[in-house]
Amino acid sequence: MRREHATPREGWEKIIEGQGLAFHRSVQATHLPRPYWDESVHYVFTMEQVLDLEAQVEELHRMCLAVVEHVIAERRFADFALPEWTWQEITHSWERRDPHVYGRFDLRYDGVSPPKLLEYNADTPTSLLESSVVQWYWLQDRFPGDDQWNSIHERLIDRWRELVLPTGPTHFAWTNMDETGEEAMTVAYLQETADQAGLKTVAIAMEDIGWDPLNRRFVDTGGRVLRSAFKLYPWEWMLADRFGEHAVRHAASTTWIEPLWKALLSNKALLALLWELYPGHPNLLPAYLDGPRELTSYIVKPLLGREGASMQIVSPDHQARTEGSYGAEGFVYQGFEALPSFEGQRPVLGAWMVADESAGLGIRETAGLITDDTSSFVPHRIEL
């Protein structure tokens, strides 16, 4: 694994915008010191490295599913700060095997040591279009003789085809709170993959979803019933919303993707439960819910934090804190290992899962110790 430089394609901004990556301009105009999409650099992997990463990511996913099974069997929902009225419905969602589509593992990896799990974005991961489409066309334009860890698009289409969903259109929902357009872009891309799979789809804002109290079901602005819906809207927000209880207690009326049981995997309490069930595993960092225990270098993460906000690094060698309002539900204390530095930049590998299979890689990098919404996306290739 190495970081290389390359000349950006002429007119690259229009190229990526034509591929759907439109929000980069609004983000760039606000706070990024470098382009969000930065093709002046990229990372190079060997095929052996990628095959090893694929196998280890799929093992991590299996371990995460085992944690869900454990939490449900042992009734450990309180560790995740989930309201008690959701516990039984989460159990039912898991027992029904409510369908899931995708997720993203964030990994620390230096190309030499085993990758370490930083967190699992299992409910509402973004940077999908960049990973699936935009970097693939960059590869074709710049290094057509090389390969890329990237079967995301094809696997998403296959996954939509596999799902057995209720009759009627599948609604794809974003939120009007999205100020940059990133979430709307991600939802539009996922809707496109569903369209290509042959599903009938409808776009809708979360704020436009209505509740029919007489028939106890969700409806769109045209009065159509939401029998199945993809939402880029986290479960913890839904559970705090006024209509969230309807979504949980009347789950039979709407198939939500991602499903309710993913509320366990998108919560950073998962990290502590993984370490408890698989202590010393080479792909894990020690993590605890009740404090740092024996750790002298650790990072404090809110159970329901997003975009690197409300975190604190405590270490003899490093001190850092990010702003944010998360943490009311509690924190996890995870062993801290600084991200590897490549020419002063620190990459986080985002390894994508589609259903239960590894599907591809996206890389975000920053000069800081914590990857947040100021980090740039850079492409990668496999040298053949």
Side-chain angles (χ1 to χ4, degrees), residues 80-91:
F80 293 75
L82 289 162
E84 190 169 355
W85 59 268
T86 67
W87 297 0
Q88 194 61 39
E89 297 305 327
I90 293 173
T91 300

Side-chain angles (χ1 to χ4, degrees), residues 12-23:
W12 64 268
E13 296 97 332
K14 290 185 177 179
I15 293 173
I16 67 172
E17 288 166 13
Q19 294 159 357
L21 186 57
F23 88 100

Side-chain angles (χ1 to χ4, degrees), residues 279-296:
H281 192 282
N283 297 129
L284 299 177
L285 293 164
Y288 308 105
L289 291 172
D290 58 357
R293 298 193 190 179
E294 80 283 355
L295 301 174
T296 56

Side-chain angles (χ1 to χ4, degrees), residues 18-253:
Q19 294 159 357
L21 186 57
F23 88 100
H24 78 101
R25 286 190 185 272
S26 62
V27 178
Q28 183 67 38
T30 54
H31 55 259
L32 288 186
R34 56 186 282 205
Y36 168 73
W37 166 269
D38 189 353
E39 61 181 67
S40 68
V41 295
H42 63 275
Y43 285 84
V44 184
F45 297 83
T46 67
M47 184 61 75
E48 182 181 10
Q49 287 174 325
V50 169
L51 292 175
D52 285 345
L53 284 166
E54 283 185 316
Q56 291 173 81
V57 165
E58 291 188 353
E59 181 180 2
L60 280 170
H61 179 69
R62 289 191 294 269
M63 291 158 58
C64 289
L65 296 183
V67 168
V68 176
E69 189 74 48
H70 171 78
V71 170
I72 288 172
E74 301 299 326
R75 306 282 293 175
R76 296 189 60 180
F77 301 99
D79 288 337
F80 293 75
L82 289 162
E84 190 169 355
W85 59 268
T86 67
W87 297 0
Q88 194 61 39
E89 297 305 327
I90 293 173
T91 300
H92 291 331
S93 175
W94 175 251
E95 291 174 343
R96 287 191 304 262
R97 294 301 189 264
D98 287 348
H100 63 294
V101 172
Y102 79 135
R104 191 192 76 227
F105 285 103
D106 285 350
L107 307 171
R108 180 200 185 277
Y109 183 62
D110 59 10
V112 179
S113 305
K116 300 287 189 181
L117 175 62
L118 301 175
E119 59 185 71
Y120 193 8
N121 298 281
D123 187 16
T124 58
T126 54
S127 75
L128 179 64
L129 180 70
E130 302 92 300
S131 301
S132 177
V133 174
V134 181
Q135 70 169 341
W136 176 254
Y137 283 109
W138 165 85
L139 180 75
Q140 302 311 303
D141 289 342
R142 275 289 180 249
F143 299 94
D146 281 350
D147 203 350
Q148 193 173 82
W149 182 8
N150 190 356
S151 60
I152 301 169
H153 187 79
E154 297 79 7
R155 288 180 184 268
L156 284 170
I157 294 171
D158 289 344
R159 182 55 176 165
W160 290 119
R161 287 176 177 152
E162 292 170 356
L163 298 185
V164 179
L165 298 175
T167 57
T170 299
H171 288 72
F172 281 75
W174 74 97
T175 172
N176 288 326
M177 293 187 294
D178 174 22
E179 296 179 351
T180 66
E182 179 182 20
E183 295 179 9
M185 177 193 74
T186 303
V187 172
Y189 171 63
L190 282 161
Q191 183 177 354
E192 180 184 341
T193 62
D195 288 338
Q196 291 184 30
L199 273 65
K200 183 179 179 181
T201 66
V202 176
I204 191 171
M206 289 293 294
E207 291 79 3
D208 289 335
I209 297 175
W211 174 251
D212 176 356
L214 181 62
N215 296 298
R216 296 185 176 184
R217 59 192 186 183
F218 289 102
V219 294
D220 64 17
T221 54
R224 287 172 296 194
V225 177
L226 270 72
R227 302 190 187 279
S228 61
F230 172 87
K231 54 164 192 64
L232 201 69
Y233 193 81
W235 270 108
E236 65 262 25
W237 292 4
M238 287 187 70
L239 299 182
D241 284 344
R242 184 164 49 91
F243 72 84
E245 189 169 349
H246 298 318
V248 173
R249 296 196 185 281
H250 302 284
S253 68

